[in-house]
Amino acid sequence: MASKSDNATPSENPENGESETGSTETMGFQAEVGRLLDIVANALYSEREIFLRELISNAADACDKLRYLAIETPALSEGDSDYAITLDVDRDAGTLTVSDNGIGMNRDELIGNLGTIARSGSSAFVDNLTGDQKKDVSLIGQFGVGFYSAYMVSDLVSVESQRAGEEGAWRWTSDGRGEFTVQPVEKDGRGTAITMHLKEDAKEFLEDFALEKVVKTYSDHIPFPIRLVNEPSTAEEGADDADTEAQEDAEETRQLNTGGALWTRSKSEIEDQQYTEFYRHTAHAFDEPWMTVHFKAEGMIEYAGLLFVPSERPFDLFNPERLSKVKLYVKRVFITEECDELLPSWLRFLRGVVDSEDLPLNISREMLQNNPVLSKIRSGVVKRVLGDLVKKAEDDKEGYEKFWETFGLVLKEGLYESGGDQEQILKLARFRSTTQDGLTSLADYISRMKDGQTAIYYISGEDKDALAKSPQLEGFAAKGVEVLYMTDPVDEFWIPSVGGFEEKSFKSVTRAGADLSDIKKEGDEEKDADKTEEEKAESSVDSLVIALKLALGDQVKDVRASDRLTASAVCLVADEAAMDLHLERLLKQHKQLEQTSPRILEINPDHALIKALNAKAGDDGTGDIGEAGSLLLDQARILEGETLPDPSAFARRLADVMAKAFG
Ligand code: ADP
Ligand code: MG
């Protein structure tokens, strides 16, 4: 309830602390809070009614927290276990009070929670304050800024609170200008009452219809009753009227929201706006959900879920803990939002709730680990979400591609972590490729495969544009064979563990074994097959291969004639059994690998330089090819974007060759 002392002695002004001499402490806000409050209090903006959504959301969280603790310790909620949120309007005083009988706050919590910014939305907003002020202010509505949004409509806010199970209550008061005070008070029962002294231009929030509209719009989904109480007015003309009428007025209490957990209602009764507001409340987010998954599983194990895929990346998506954020409920009672077992970390972008009928209410953290019921729920939920994503990918191609750009990176972690969902995730995966403009699925890639092509070809590296110039792609381009770009670091890890898709294996074009000879060049089928022995002998560069092997020794694993080059003279590829080039470089960068292993040097038999050198090498490969071996190898390294082991030797050799050419 609202603070009784305020209403009982309206002539006194308890907020200034004069009545409690000695025990009132004054403290300063954390600097960021000060900046935030300045903007919140002074700016003009359109969506200020959201202050009520924020306070109700906090009150509901407080009720959830106590309801959970009271399962273990029933004494905490003794005498008052009907959780509710109350709006009290006092027209004479011009105040609106939002109160709850939830967990409450003690003195230290009041100071810590309301004097510093701990909250994601608020800190994201403060981070945004740098730069263009106008743009920033318009974001208040989006971020919500939590408790502080009360200052959008108030000159003065006082918070009275008593922590459940503790003695004594405290009043926190501030006009939002740099300081707040804390003092002990008498309070009628546990919980929190937040009284706002409304600004002159915010008196509309004393009106029933205004409050009702705001509650219906933003807070209808709150599972606790939200009640509106009208305090009897003493100043109004009504006081002269019949006593009975005034009495009836005084006692009016009305529930404004539908109440009951949103996920227990049937889909047809729920409007999009309600889903959105529920998402924002549970996720502490301010964007629109991109996808909503509302389901009920019946049978051996019963559970319901209301899950959302956000449209924006949550700020903590790449925190190293990779925690799932979906809230676990048991029979409508909130249990925890830190339940690793509920969902795999590669679905950590999901928000919302899962509510089980079969888990015991007093389940402990330890019991949640390796719990067979929970693991069945987990696999059921994963199937449901992946299935819905597959559908969404078909129905809304454009929206799906945006989803993939936003969360694909996380989902791909499931390719090496998931037990048995790889097939489904591969269906969802999208890639860029050498022949397509946008993103492509693997199924579409396969539908474009050439005759004789048996593998899904890819090239991995950091940057698509740089990769596009790789010499190893030349032969694929010439034969019109599509190659996928794998530019995320996780790609190096899932490819080896996945193997293939629809019986087609993944093959790196920078590795030996990515053989193009079975794939016919378009419109070129006859010619290739009809090559005479003579022609074949002519394009043989066997002598040069021997000469290069002699010259380069163990700097290379092997030297081979290439079928993947058309324009470039040389390129490097990894041995089929060795690590792929990009992965080696990644590991070396992160000091996980000391030395890259020797590579295979491939030479282009149709290149003029190679032909000329082949002639120089003589019939048995012992002819003098000078410094050509080292130069070719260094050239191949440069094409790979690698640093040369001995750049000065390279420069000297190049200078010698140029001197001969121009000398
Ligand atoms: P958030 O709700 O995102 O944590 P807020 O600014 O809305 O951020 O609230 C800050 C903190 O103040 C909350 O996390 C909570 O600990 C505390 N708080 C606010 N309102 C209440 C309340 N009615 N009952 C108990 N604690 C509250
Ligand atoms: Mg909040």
Side-chain angles (χ1 to χ4, degrees):
M1 274 308 297
S3 59
K4 288 282 188 240
S5 55
D6 271 10
N7 298 323
T9 53
S11 56
E12 208 179 273
N13 182 6
E15 270 78 30
N16 62 19
E18 278 162 18
S19 52
E20 269 109 347
T21 41
S23 53
T24 303
E25 294 171 77
T26 304
M27 281 165 245
F29 282 114
Q30 184 193 30
E32 284 87 342
V33 178
R35 269 166 77 207
L36 177 64
L37 282 173
D38 253 7
I39 291 195
V40 168
N42 298 318
L44 286 175
Y45 35 78
S46 51
E47 295 169 311
R48 61 182 184 172
E49 78 233 31
I50 58 109
F51 80 93
L52 195 56
R53 167 188 81 185
E54 296 297 317
L55 297 188
I56 289 174
S57 166
N58 286 347
D61 286 348
C63 293
D64 261 340
K65 282 181 201 160
L66 181 58
R67 191 165 60 173
Y68 173 63
L69 291 178
I71 300 167
E72 274 275 281
T73 321
L76 285 178
S77 66
E78 218 157 63
D80 184 10
S81 53
D82 289 331
Y83 298 96
I85 297 160
T86 310
L87 311 183
D88 263 275
V89 170
D90 185 335
R91 288 201 185 86
D92 297 338
T95 61
L96 168 65
T97 301
V98 178
S99 43
D100 63 72
N101 55 355
I103 183 87
M105 287 177 273
N106 59 29
R107 179 182 168 281
D108 290 349
E109 287 167 331
L110 274 172
I111 296 170
N113 293 340
L114 308 185
T116 54
I117 295 188
R119 162 181 212 276
S120 55
S122 310
S123 42
F125 180 76
V126 172
D127 289 346
N128 234 292
L129 292 183
T130 47
D132 184 359
Q133 288 281 320
K134 249 195 193 134
K135 179 194 111 209
D136 299 332
V137 170
S138 69
L139 291 173
I140 290 179
Q142 280 176 40
F143 284 106
V145 300
F147 166 76
Y148 304 112
S149 54
Y151 287 94
M152 300 198 291
V153 294
S154 329
D155 297 319
L156 186 77
V157 178
S158 91
V159 182
E160 297 195 354
S161 197
Q162 178 173 6
R163 171 92 190 186
E166 291 182 20
E167 294 288 315
W170 298 86
R171 179 193 294 139
W172 177 103
T173 309
S174 177
D175 60 5
R177 290 193 209 118
E179 287 177 341
F180 61 89
T181 60
V182 182
Q183 65 196 112
V185 282
E186 293 289 316
K187 189 176 179 298
D188 198 17
R190 61 148 208 271
T192 303
I194 301 180
T195 299
M196 285 154 280
H197 295 254
L198 295 174
K199 288 182 181 177
E200 223 25 74
D201 64 1
K203 298 284 195 220
E204 73 213 62
F205 297 109
L206 296 173
E207 302 305 328
D208 289 14
F209 70 89
L211 294 172
E212 179 161 9
K213 185 165 161 270
V214 180
V215 170
K216 278 257 174 269
T217 309
Y218 299 105
S219 310
D220 193 58
H221 62 83
I222 295 289
F224 306 101
I226 302 169
R227 299 192 183 112
L228 177 63
V229 182
N230 271 303
E231 295 296 332
S233 174
T234 48
E236 272 173 33
E237 294 152 41
D240 298 335
D241 287 0
D243 263 4
T244 45
E245 245 184 76
Q247 211 64 37
E248 268 168 31
D249 242 22
E251 277 157 22
E252 200 204 359
T253 297
R254 229 154 34 90
Q255 181 167 329
L256 300 181
N257 62 330
T258 311
L262 189 70
W263 59 91
T264 60
R265 289 187 225 161
S266 86
K267 285 187 209 179
S268 57
E269 289 170 26
I270 304 175
E271 286 166 33
D272 286 352
Q273 169 82 4
Q274 288 174 303
Y275 277 131
T276 300
E277 290 304 330
F278 177 80
Y279 158 72
R280 291 180 173 165
H281 166 70
T282 38
H284 285 247
F286 298 95
D287 56 340
E288 296 276 329
W290 171 69
M291 183 173 98
T292 301
V293 190
H294 185 182
F295 60 92
K296 208 179 213 141
E298 275 153 346
M300 292 284 281
I301 290 186
E302 266 181 53
Y303 57 92
L306 179 46
L307 299 172
F308 303 91
V309 176
S311 43
E312 311 280 334
R313 268 189 193 172
F315 73 103
D316 54 358
L317 189 66
F318 292 104
N319 276 6
E321 297 82 26
R322 306 194 306 145
L323 292 177
S324 154
K325 289 289 166 60
V326 170
K327 293 182 173 171
L328 175 67
Y329 280 68
V330 172
K331 302 181 186 79
R332 260 75 55 215
V333 176
F334 169 71
I335 303 294
T336 177
E337 64 181 328
E338 281 160 15
C339 181
D340 282 349
E341 319 288 312
L342 182 57
L343 281 172
S345 60
W346 48 271
L347 285 177
R348 64 184 175 277
F349 52 83
L350 287 176
R351 295 294 185 268
V353 309
V354 170
D355 185 359
S356 156
E357 294 298 319
D358 305 290
L359 291 169
L361 262 176
N362 58 354
I363 191 157
S364 66
R365 292 274 154 86
E366 296 72 52
M367 285 163 71
L368 287 171
Q369 273 154 24
N370 303 319
N371 184 297
V373 173
L374 202 54
S375 72
K376 287 215 176 73
I377 294 177
R378 173 185 166 122
S379 60
V381 175
V382 168
K383 283 215 166 57
R384 174 81 59 160
V385 171
L386 294 183
D388 277 19
L389 281 172
V390 169
K391 266 187 237 143
K392 196 83 168 157
E394 284 159 15
D395 300 346
D396 174 15
K397 197 162 171 284
E398 219 170 281
Y400 182 78
E401 290 188 353
K402 184 162 178 292
F403 156 80
W404 183 258
E405 305 277 15
T406 313
F407 296 117
L409 207 56
V410 175
L411 206 57
K412 274 199 281 191
E413 292 170 14
L415 287 171
Y416 60 89
E417 278 180 6
S418 96
D421 299 303
Q422 281 96 342
E423 190 68 24
Q424 204 61 341
I425 301 174
L426 282 177
K427 268 191 212 157
L428 290 167
R430 296 291 181 273
F431 303 89
R432 293 186 197 285
S433 90
T434 51
T435 65
Q436 303 299 304
D437 275 341
L439 291 166
T440 178
S441 67
L442 292 173
D444 288 346
Y445 176 95
I446 289 174
S447 74
R448 291 186 294 265
M449 277 173 41
K450 298 287 169 206
D451 280 349
Q453 182 181 351
T454 53
I456 299 168
Y457 290 112
Y458 70 91
I459 182 163
S460 57
E462 261 129 68
D463 176 56
K464 173 180 165 278
D465 295 335
L467 285 179
K469 298 182 190 126
S470 302
Q472 293 94 337
L473 290 176
E474 290 169 5
F476 292 85
K479 291 198 168 177
V481 175
E482 182 175 355
V483 177
L484 301 177
Y485 293 114
M486 301 281 184
T487 47
D488 292 326
V490 291
D491 293 332
E492 291 290 1
F493 298 97
W494 66 260
I495 294 170
S497 69
V498 158
F501 178 70
E502 290 181 355
E503 271 141 55
K504 308 280 187 295
S505 59
F506 288 98
K507 275 203 177 137
S508 166
V509 304
T510 59
R511 262 174 118 141
D515 192 359
L516 278 168
S517 56
D518 287 342
I519 307 171
K520 302 280 177 293
K521 203 167 177 174
E522 241 139 83
D524 222 27
E525 283 111 74
E526 307 299 294
K527 230 162 93 191
D528 231 42
D530 291 352
K531 249 188 187 172
T532 61
E533 284 305 307
E534 219 171 294
E535 276 171 322
K536 276 183 190 162
E538 204 177 278
S539 67
S540 155
V541 285
D542 292 348
S543 310
L544 182 59
V545 166
I546 298 169
L548 286 173
K549 279 187 194 171
L550 285 171
L552 296 172
D554 53 9
Q555 292 185 74
V556 290
K557 172 108 194 190
D558 199 2
V559 179
R560 287 178 199 167
S562 181
D563 64 358
R564 70 186 99 208
L565 295 174
T566 59
S568 304
V570 287
C571 72
L572 287 175
V573 298
D575 186 34
E576 197 164 7
M579 232 181 266
D580 200 4
L581 300 182
H582 176 238
L583 180 58
E584 267 203 346
R585 273 198 297 277
L586 262 184
L587 293 178
K588 211 174 154 213
Q589 261 168 30
H590 291 91
K591 311 248 181 305
Q592 307 263 345
L593 197 71
E594 290 223 332
Q595 195 78 48
T596 47
S597 49
R599 278 66 173 283
I600 297 168
L601 180 68
E602 288 199 352
I603 57 177
N604 178 358
D606 298 323
H607 196 282
L609 171 63
I610 300 298
K611 281 184 178 158
L613 284 171
N614 190 56
K616 277 214 148 209
D619 285 345
D620 54 0
T622 53
D624 183 16
I625 56 165
E627 299 271 40
S630 299
L631 278 169
L632 284 177
L633 178 58
D634 279 347
Q635 198 185 337
R637 285 173 173 146
I638 291 171
L639 283 169
E640 271 307 304
E642 293 182 1
T643 48
L644 299 181
D646 188 352
S648 63
F650 170 72
R652 185 175 39 73
R653 288 183 190 120
L654 188 62
D656 286 352
V657 172
M658 285 167 81
K660 262 183 216 148
F662 299 115

